[in-house]
């Protein structure tokens, strides 16, 4: 099945800093989602981005499908950005079974 | 309204108990999912219901029994669980669960139930 690796596994930043999280996947995809899992376990949709670039406030994401990676940018980090960030892709093209990446744990220090 | 609700938030049960987890959505979605997430791991798919029919069972042990009474509700019945079944159980929903090439779906997740099996 498709493999999804995220880097870095852990990231500790001062409030106000910028960060880039990476998601590499081993096969072609037509669906990629970024999620933020807050410290209470809630998974929150950030982006649905199979290709191209999207922006939402301080967050933006870029997926280069031909090179099999996606990037999540967080600017001017706030403590509420802390948590685990997952990317997820379908197990096969068009499949509803999502395979989650390994996750990046982000800790923002005041 | 993009909300998926789950009850209870926390559950502690013994290995001989029978309990149920409940999930509800009112977005008109016809696909619902159960995921299991162990600490410091990504969520893993357990079951998928599409149009109230079980479409995917990821070889989950029979001590977990899903049920979809209607298109808005999803239950997970638990019986004779083991301590290693302790985890966060997440419910999700999407429009139809039958995405194909060119059809794109987003899954929306509930807040989860933290289960501890003693």
């Amino acid at each position: 099945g498709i493999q999804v690796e995220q880097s870095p596994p852990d990231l500790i930043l001062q409030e106000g800093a910028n960060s880039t999280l990476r998601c590499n996947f081993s096969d072609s995809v037509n669906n990629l989602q970024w999620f933020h899992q807050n410290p209470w376990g809630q998974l929150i949709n950030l982006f649905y981005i199979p290709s191209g670039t999207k922006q939402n406030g301080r967050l933006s994401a870029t997926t280069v499908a031909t090179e099999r990676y996606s990037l999540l940018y967080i600017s001017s980090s706030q403590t509420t950005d802390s948590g685990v960030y997952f990317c997820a892709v379908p197990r096969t093209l068009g499949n509803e079974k999502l395979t989650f990446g390994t996750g990046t744990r982000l800790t923002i220090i005041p | 309204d993009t909300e998926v609700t789950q009850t209870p938030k926390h559950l502690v049960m013994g290995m001989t108990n029978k309990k149920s987890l409940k999930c509800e959505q009112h977005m008109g979605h016809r696909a619902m999912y159960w995921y299991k997430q162990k600490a410091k791991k990504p969520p893993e798919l357990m079951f998928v219901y599409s149009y109230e029919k079980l479409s995917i069972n990821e070889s989950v042990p029979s001590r977990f029994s899903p049920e979809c009474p209607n298109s808005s509700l999803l239950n997970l019945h638990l019986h004779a669980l083991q301590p290693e079944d302790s985890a966060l159980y997440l419910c999700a929903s999407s429009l139809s669960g039958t995405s194909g090439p060119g059809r794109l779906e987003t899954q929306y997740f509930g807040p989860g139930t933290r289960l501890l099996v003693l």
Side-chain angles (χ1 to χ4, degrees):
Chain A
I2 192 167
Q3 304 298 314
V4 187
E5 295 287 332
Q6 291 183 242
S7 60
D10 292 278
L11 189 58
I12 301 174
L13 296 172
Q14 205 79 34
E15 199 169 20
N18 302 329
S19 57
T20 300
L21 282 57
R22 187 177 180 102
C23 170
N24 291 331
F25 40 94
S26 60
D27 208 344
S28 301
V29 300
N30 64 348
N31 176 346
L32 187 144
Q33 291 182 240
W34 279 99
F35 294 93
H36 173 215
Q37 189 167 37
N38 66 24
W40 296 271
Q42 172 81 63
L43 271 165
I44 300 161
N45 297 70
L46 296 177
F47 292 102
Y48 180 92
I49 183 162
S51 64
T53 297
K54 288 187 179 179
Q55 178 147 12
N56 185 2
R58 297 181 295 104
L59 273 60
S60 64
T62 295
T63 297
V64 184
T66 52
E67 296 187 24
R68 300 181 183 170
Y69 73 88
S70 183
L71 301 174
L72 178 69
Y73 306 96
I74 305 174
S75 64
S76 304
S77 299
Q78 300 175 358
T79 55
T80 51
D81 294 331
S82 296
V84 183
Y85 289 80
F86 290 104
C87 62
V89 299
R91 205 167 291 183
T92 57
L93 274 178
N95 194 295
E96 68 273 20
K97 295 185 190 181
L98 282 182
T99 295
F100 281 78
T102 49
T104 292
R105 182 172 298 275
L106 177 64
T107 303
I108 304 298
I109 302 171
Chain B
D1 181 9
T2 57
E3 189 179 13
V4 177
T5 59
Q6 289 186 244
T7 55
K9 286 188 168 50
H10 302 272
L11 179 61
V12 180
M13 61 185 290
M15 289 189 284
T16 58
N17 291 157
K18 286 185 183 180
K19 296 285 184 183
S20 296
L21 309 185
K22 180 180 172 182
C23 173
E24 194 165 5
Q25 57 86 16
H26 295 288
M27 294 180 277
H29 288 174
R30 302 309 298 272
M32 297 185 79
Y33 310 75
W34 280 116
Y35 288 83
K36 175 182 178 179
Q37 186 178 21
K38 300 285 280 184
K40 299 188 185 298
K41 296 289 187 183
E44 293 180 345
L45 185 66
M46 300 174 71
F47 302 103
V48 181
Y49 273 83
S50 183
Y51 292 87
E52 292 103 71
K53 290 191 184 338
L54 183 64
S55 61
I56 294 173
N57 177 339
E58 290 286 278
S59 303
V60 179
S62 60
R63 57 186 185 269
F64 295 91
S65 175
E67 179 197 18
C68 189
N70 60 58
S71 59
S72 301
L73 281 176
L74 184 67
N75 298 320
L76 186 63
H77 303 298
L78 315 173
H79 173 53
L81 294 194
Q82 303 297 310
E84 59 264 29
D85 296 322
S86 299
L88 178 67
Y89 288 84
L90 293 161
C91 173
S93 70
S94 68
L95 197 58
S96 70
T98 57
S99 58
R103 293 186 59 191
L104 310 172
E105 289 207 355
T106 299
Q107 290 188 20
Y108 295 89
F109 283 79
T113 294
R114 289 198 183 276
L115 174 66
L116 178 61
V117 182
L118 301 176

